[in-house]
Amino acid sequence: MVSSTRARAAVAAALAMTAVLAGGGLWLSTLLGANLLDNTTGRTELAARKVAARVDTRTLPADGRLPAPDGGVDLVLVRDARGRVVASSGDPAGATGLDVPRPEPGADARSAVLPPAHPGGQRRVVVAVEAPGAGTGPGSGPAAASGAAAGGAAGGPYTVYGMTVLGDVDDAGRALALGLGAGAPPLIAFAAALAWWATGQALRPVTAIRTALAAVTASALDRRVPDPGGADEIARLARTVNDTLDRLERSDARQRQFTADASHELRNPLAAVRSRLEVALAMERPDREAVAAALADTERLQRVAADLLLLAHLDGGPAPHPAGEPVDLALLAAEDAARRPSPRVPLRLDAPEPVPAYGDPARLERALANLVDNALRHAAGGVTVRAAAREGLAVLEVTDDGPGIPPADRDRVFGRFVRLDADRGRAAGGTGLGLAIAREIARAHGGDVEARRAPGGGALLELRLPGARGGR
């Protein structure tokens, strides 16, 4: 079994060259044989017609001996209506087996290729030409020839036969076959060697790519495969592999950073819970404040764990029920406001009419809640939630009057565990994952979340989703 690409290419080239040589040799042999046979038949017919003209003009030799014909024709003879030889250019015994029928009515010539007259002999081409002659009379051989020469061909009509042995034609065919047989193996070997070399040259970049790719490990994701340049398939393969490695390296870096951030976020609350519990156990009567603080830290740990689990689900792909259902963003905003009876600052809702969308209500409710929670932590005097349909989109805007978000940080705030004011965020109970979760949920629904400056100062977080018609 041929396993390597180079070997398969060499075998294919050898088979192709074999087919070309076989087909070309057969075609050339057939064409050459037909051409030589036509030329030989033409020369033979010309010689027979010259003798037929002498029969018609009554100029045959008196002794019945015709001169040797030109053009390599071997024999010309004349037969009368009874089949008797009247004149011949050679020994009439050489005419044995000339069983070519006389020309059909309306035609004055007929040709045929006859098999060898005896084992070991050669094929022959025979042409029969009609020569009507003049007058009738008995006799054959020299006497008849004398009568024809003297004043007309006796015993007419006559048939003139020309015969040429096809030795040259058969020799040419054998020489061609011998030449092809001798030349075919080197040509086939050359084609296979050329295909082997050319395939090796073409696959050399692939070998370099494979070697470089094998050196890429989890600890060496910065390695790249060599780009051979150009615009062929191998060059495009190298660029695609490098693009894939770029994405893999970024994903790995993101995952490592996420793991480090998660470990950092979990380590501090765990240490606080442990120290508070140890202090409580060291007392004769546990301090209720210490236990309450430990409980608060435990609840914070639960929130972080829940957020991490949700992000893991969002990173893993679409929700188990991606079809979703019709959702009214204005209603979601009203329900969220109703669940906050006494927020830290006033919460105003501006949603005069339904805003239809399509998706997972629970996930969208979580995204809205995260945006509102973030605004409430940073607002100075109040938060406004607006829901509206705009240019085929369902839009939710959450605006606060806090310090706002610097332009350079408006995309960074959606990173995981990113806090522009870390101490304030932790004191207020934030996990640093709320905005990241909101953006991931929006993107899972075909939308996005962006941060801008509010018209009156502060921050404006805008969630956009496809409208109800584009939700499916």
Side-chain angles (χ1 to χ4, degrees), residues 270-470:
L270 283 173
V273 169
R274 178 176 179 176
S275 64
R276 294 180 190 278
L277 292 177
E278 288 176 347
V279 170
L281 288 174
M283 298 180 179
E284 277 186 37
R285 300 182 64 184
D287 185 1
R288 292 182 59 85
E289 291 184 3
V291 175
L295 178 60
D297 286 337
T298 303
E299 291 174 349
R300 171 170 158 68
L301 283 173
Q302 287 180 328
R303 289 196 300 272
V304 172
D307 287 348
L308 289 174
L309 181 59
L310 177 56
L311 277 174
H313 282 302
L314 292 172
D315 288 341
H321 43 282
E325 59 186 72
V327 178
D328 181 2
L329 295 189
L331 180 59
L332 287 184
E335 291 175 347
D336 180 78
R339 283 192 293 269
R340 305 174 189 269
S342 55
R344 185 180 66 85
V345 295
L347 177 61
R348 293 180 293 274
L349 176 63
D350 182 7
E353 57 186 21
V355 180
Y358 210 89
D360 183 345
R363 292 279 176 90
L364 294 176
E365 181 181 343
R366 176 63 184 276
L368 171 62
N370 287 359
L371 297 179
V372 175
D373 287 342
N374 179 80
L376 289 174
R377 278 195 298 269
H378 296 90
V383 174
T384 301
V385 179
R386 294 184 180 89
R390 185 187 309 158
E391 298 179 354
L393 298 176
V395 180
L396 269 173
E397 292 182 352
V398 180
T399 307
D400 66 68
D401 57 356
I405 303 173
D409 295 323
R410 288 175 185 169
D411 190 65
R412 193 171 71 89
V413 292
F414 294 100
R416 301 175 183 188
F417 298 111
V418 172
R419 295 187 186 89
L420 302 185
D421 186 350
D423 293 335
R424 181 179 178 185
R426 287 192 176 92
T431 64
L433 297 173
L435 295 185
I437 291 174
R439 172 170 275 186
E440 293 295 334
I441 291 175
R443 288 181 173 177
H445 285 75
D448 204 352
V449 179
E450 291 184 355
R452 299 201 304 272
R453 182 179 183 277
L460 186 154
L461 299 176
E462 181 181 82
L463 183 148
R464 298 187 305 274
L465 298 174
R469 291 182 180 178

Side-chain angles (χ1 to χ4, degrees), residues 23-378:
L26 180 61
W27 174 80
L28 184 60
S29 176
T30 302
L31 183 64
L32 178 63
N35 186 53
L36 292 176
L37 180 60
D38 287 345
N39 290 338
T40 303
T41 302
R43 295 197 306 271
T44 304
E45 182 177 349
L46 178 61
R49 287 189 181 278
K50 287 181 179 180
V51 174
R54 298 187 66 176
V55 173
D56 290 340
T57 58
R58 307 173 190 175
T59 56
L60 288 176
D63 58 358
R65 294 184 177 275
L66 297 172
D70 298 330
V73 178
D74 293 295
L75 178 68
V76 178
L77 59 85
V78 182
R79 283 179 177 171
D80 60 15
R82 297 180 183 179
R84 295 174 299 181
V85 178
V86 175
S88 173
S89 64
D91 185 1
T96 305
L98 297 184
D99 298 328
V100 179
R102 298 178 62 180
E104 297 177 353
D108 63 348
R110 190 168 187 175
S111 64
V113 177
L114 303 181
H118 52 80
Q122 294 178 315
R123 298 184 305 151
R124 300 162 295 166
V125 62
V126 179
V127 179
V129 177
E130 189 73 24
T136 58
S140 62
S146 300
Y158 295 91
T159 303
V160 180
Y161 292 90
M163 182 193 74
T164 303
V165 177
L166 296 178
D168 293 342
V169 176
D170 293 340
D171 290 344
R174 284 192 293 270
L176 178 62
L178 182 62
L180 288 175
L187 288 175
I188 293 172
F190 173 76
L194 181 62
W196 178 274
W197 176 83
T199 306
Q201 292 297 112
L203 293 180
R204 182 176 296 175
V206 175
T207 302
I209 291 172
R210 179 181 58 81
T211 303
L213 195 58
V216 176
T217 62
S219 59
L221 288 175
D222 58 335
R223 292 178 178 269
R224 296 295 179 266
V225 302
D227 186 347
D232 59 9
E233 291 80 359
I234 296 178
R236 291 197 294 270
L237 173 63
R239 295 181 192 119
T240 301
V241 170
N242 284 335
D243 290 343
T244 302
L245 290 175
D246 288 340
R247 293 193 298 271
L248 182 61
E249 185 180 15
R250 289 194 298 267
S251 176
D252 180 72
R254 183 182 178 186
Q255 187 65 32
R256 289 176 184 271
Q257 184 63 42
F258 179 73
T259 303
D261 291 341
S263 300
H264 176 74
E265 290 293 327
L266 294 173
R267 183 174 62 248
N268 291 340
L270 283 173
V273 169
R274 178 176 179 176
S275 64
R276 294 180 190 278
L277 292 177
E278 288 176 347
V279 170
L281 288 174
M283 298 180 179
E284 277 186 37
R285 300 182 64 184
D287 185 1
R288 292 182 59 85
E289 291 184 3
V291 175
L295 178 60
D297 286 337
T298 303
E299 291 174 349
R300 171 170 158 68
L301 283 173
Q302 287 180 328
R303 289 196 300 272
V304 172
D307 287 348
L308 289 174
L309 181 59
L310 177 56
L311 277 174
H313 282 302
L314 292 172
D315 288 341
H321 43 282
E325 59 186 72
V327 178
D328 181 2
L329 295 189
L331 180 59
L332 287 184
E335 291 175 347
D336 180 78
R339 283 192 293 269
R340 305 174 189 269
S342 55
R344 185 180 66 85
V345 295
L347 177 61
R348 293 180 293 274
L349 176 63
D350 182 7
E353 57 186 21
V355 180
Y358 210 89
D360 183 345
R363 292 279 176 90
L364 294 176
E365 181 181 343
R366 176 63 184 276
L368 171 62
N370 287 359
L371 297 179
V372 175
D373 287 342
N374 179 80
L376 289 174
R377 278 195 298 269
H378 296 90

